Amino acid sequence: MSQGVSSLAVRPARGRRAAAVRRWGVSYALLTPALVLFGLFVLWPLVQAVRISLTNSTGIGTADFVGLQNYTRMVGDPSFWRAAGNTGLLALVSVPTSIAAGFGIALLLRDRLPARGIFRALFLAPYVISGVVVAMAGRWIFDENVGIVDRTLSGWGLPAPDWQSGGTAAAVSVFVMLFWARTGLVVVLYLSALQGIDGDLLEAAELDGASRWQRIRFVSWPLLRPTTFFVTVLMVIEVFQVFDVVRVMTGGGPAGATDILVTYAYTQGFQARRQGYGSAIGVVVFLVILLATLLWWRIQARSEEES
């Protein structure tokens, strides 16, 4: 009798284990295509970039192992530090600006704004179309000879900046086009988050006498903290990956005034034929993005624990 009871107890346990194995098997089977693609197009190129960064590869013939020579070379490379400074300045200026503008535009689009569809298309179109198309539009808008900006300023009797030959003016033109190209995504994310806020909370705050600004500041904005965290990390990554707009509009010029880390890595790797050094710069960019993401993630987690 006792053996029969024990056998009955063992069978359900075996059945549960079998069911768990089947669930895990199905889960990994569904994940396998994504993992294979991740390994082929993300992990493997990253491993190869690290390997090439430890050599003096030129892309032609064999390459010798040089250890950390390419990394130590960055310390004394003024062009690298100029590109790094330009990248950091672009992140410090464009990320807060895009977040503030995107949040404000999302608030307007959430309400009954006249011609709301036109404004949505105006801000979302640059993110949908190719970055090269955006850059070509930027070259036409800020052209020193036939650009619409210079013609408008000249018609008003104002001096026209040297958008292609002046360092500061060229940096401003790149920032304007990047702002236009990236803010659309911020608007979409904030608009989706705003539409997910419970209307009863806003209605209760309004009944308590809260003004529109107070409802935004004390109700909507705190509830959007996870969205703001996600948008911030995403925008930082976007800034460090910018290539097409800068490459097409200015090529990093004049005199490296608009050169950023990604364009400088491309110049070193494919134009100067220093692929080892270019790969090392790419690895540094990856590490900076990773550290910035982890640091911001920890700050966000700590603020959530305190709240």
Side-chain angles (χ1 to χ4, degrees):
M1 184 68 178
S2 61
Q3 292 180 353
V5 173
S6 61
S7 63
L8 291 175
V10 170
R11 289 176 184 175
R14 291 178 178 174
R16 288 193 296 270
R17 285 196 296 270
V21 170
R22 284 195 297 270
R23 287 196 299 270
W24 279 101
V26 172
S27 300
Y28 279 109
L30 294 174
L31 286 173
T32 297
L35 293 176
V36 170
L37 292 175
F38 177 81
L40 287 176
F41 296 104
V42 177
L43 188 59
W44 179 248
L46 179 61
V47 172
Q48 289 298 309
V50 174
R51 181 186 66 82
I52 296 175
S53 71
L54 301 176
T55 68
N56 60 355
S57 173
T58 61
I60 302 175
T62 59
D64 298 325
F65 179 80
V66 296
L68 299 178
Q69 181 177 329
N70 289 320
Y71 295 92
T72 57
R73 177 181 176 179
M74 297 179 197
V75 179
D77 185 359
S79 298
F80 167 79
W81 290 111
R82 179 176 55 196
N86 292 339
T87 306
L89 180 61
L90 181 62
L92 289 175
V93 174
S94 64
V95 172
T97 306
S98 296
I99 291 176
F103 179 65
I105 296 169
L107 286 173
L108 294 175
L109 295 179
R110 184 192 61 175
D111 299 333
R112 297 295 180 180
L113 182 69
R116 182 169 51 179
I118 297 177
F119 283 101
R120 283 184 176 180
L122 179 64
F123 286 102
L124 299 184
Y127 190 77
V128 177
I129 62 179
S130 170
V132 175
V133 176
V134 174
M136 292 298 294
R139 291 187 61 177
W140 172 73
I141 292 172
F142 293 101
D143 189 272
E144 293 182 9
N145 299 315
V146 297
I148 186 174
V149 174
D150 278 17
R151 286 190 174 185
T152 302
L153 293 175
S154 299
W156 290 346
L158 299 175
D162 299 327
W163 299 112
Q164 280 76 49
S165 57
T168 302
V172 170
S173 67
V174 170
F175 166 75
V176 170
M177 298 310 297
L178 286 176
F179 172 79
W180 183 46
R182 298 294 185 266
T183 304
L185 177 62
V186 181
V187 173
V188 171
L189 294 174
Y190 271 125
L191 184 59
S192 176
L194 285 170
Q195 291 174 345
I197 294 178
D198 190 356
D200 294 339
L201 296 175
L202 298 174
E203 185 178 354
E206 185 177 3
L207 292 175
D208 288 339
S211 64
R212 175 179 174 82
W213 167 249
Q214 289 173 331
R215 293 196 300 271
I216 294 173
R217 180 181 178 185
F218 297 108
V219 180
S220 298
W221 182 252
L223 293 175
L224 296 177
R225 181 178 297 176
T227 303
T228 303
F229 162 70
F230 175 73
V231 169
T232 302
V233 174
L234 187 62
M235 286 297 101
V236 170
I237 295 174
E238 287 274 343
V239 168
F240 277 87
Q241 291 181 338
V242 169
F243 175 77
D244 44 11
V245 174
V246 177
R247 183 66 185 174
V248 174
M249 285 190 64
T250 64
T258 60
D259 219 2
I260 56 178
L261 286 175
V262 177
T263 58
Y264 185 61
Y266 173 85
T267 302
Q268 292 296 310
F270 294 98
Q271 292 184 344
R273 310 301 301 178
R274 303 188 187 102
Q275 290 195 358
Y277 188 50
S279 297
I281 298 173
V283 172
V284 170
V285 172
F286 168 76
L287 293 176
V288 170
I289 294 175
L290 180 63
L291 290 175
T293 304
L294 293 177
L295 177 61
W296 193 258
W297 191 282
R298 185 173 183 94
I299 294 173
Q300 175 69 13
R302 183 175 299 175
S303 64
E304 290 181 354
E305 292 176 358
E306 293 176 353
S307 59

